[in-house]
Amino acid sequence: TKVPGVPLAYNAANKTVFLYIVSLSSGNPFNFNGTSDGQLKIYIPAGWHVYVVYTNQESIPHNFNIIANDTPTPNNANVLADGKFILNVGTTSTSYETVGIASGQSASGLSPAIPAGYYWFACGIAGHAEAGMWGVLISSTSVTTPYYVTSS
């Protein structure tokens, strides 16, 4: 079946989706793969894991976190005010507001199985998500093949 967006790499045997995320050095400095403010939407089958490889090309430190959110968009300088962490990449659950990876560095991490629901991924450094550095992760029982879409 044709997916409604761009297919993502995955391993069905161990239910893992592979995400390659880059903060590009051009355009908005608060971006994931060149998108900001929820433009990047990733769809995965419910109960699957996400293996993230995050690369920062920006001149300032950034990190990547998947958050079980309770607001539709990040609206606090502290991303944990709006939910709880599922995954931290390039930081920890206690240093996320100040610690990220430097320009040119990469970090990776594997999430636990992600139940059906609507999540964000965001940079946890204070104020970065509010400045637009976030996207959407949808885990759904109706998705059989992982894919992403971008909107302007």
Side-chain angles (χ1 to χ4, degrees):
T1 52
K2 179 168 177 1
V3 296
V6 181
L8 289 163
Y10 67 95
N11 180 332
N14 63 11
K15 297 183 173 178
T16 302
V17 179
F18 300 95
L19 288 185
Y20 299 93
I21 304 290
V22 179
S23 290
L24 299 173
S25 58
S26 57
N28 182 340
F30 302 106
N31 78 85
F32 288 124
N33 293 5
T35 70
S36 299
D37 295 310
Q39 293 173 321
L40 178 58
K41 292 178 177 59
I42 295 168
Y43 293 82
I44 68 167
W48 281 35
H49 305 266
V50 177
Y51 182 79
V52 176
V53 177
Y54 173 60
T55 302
N56 183 15
Q57 295 178 351
E58 279 292 325
S59 58
I60 57 175
H62 289 303
N63 56 48
F64 181 94
N65 306 275
I66 297 176
I67 298 163
N69 52 297
D70 53 21
T71 61
T73 62
N75 60 19
N76 192 296
N78 178 353
V79 293
L80 269 198
D82 296 328
K84 65 182 200 291
F85 287 132
I86 303 286
L87 178 67
N88 307 104
V89 176
T91 192
T92 69
S93 60
T94 54
S95 65
Y96 64 92
E97 286 192 283
T98 56
V99 174
I101 58 173
S103 183
Q105 289 187 321
S106 292
S108 60
L110 178 65
S111 77
I114 299 178
Y118 175 97
Y119 304 85
W120 314 320
F121 49 91
C123 180
I125 292 179
H128 288 198
E130 274 189 310
M133 198 163 180
W134 65 279
V136 176
L137 175 73
I138 293 135
S139 176
S140 171
T141 54
S142 62
V143 172
T144 53
T145 305
Y147 66 93
Y148 73 91
V149 297
T150 53
S151 59
S152 50

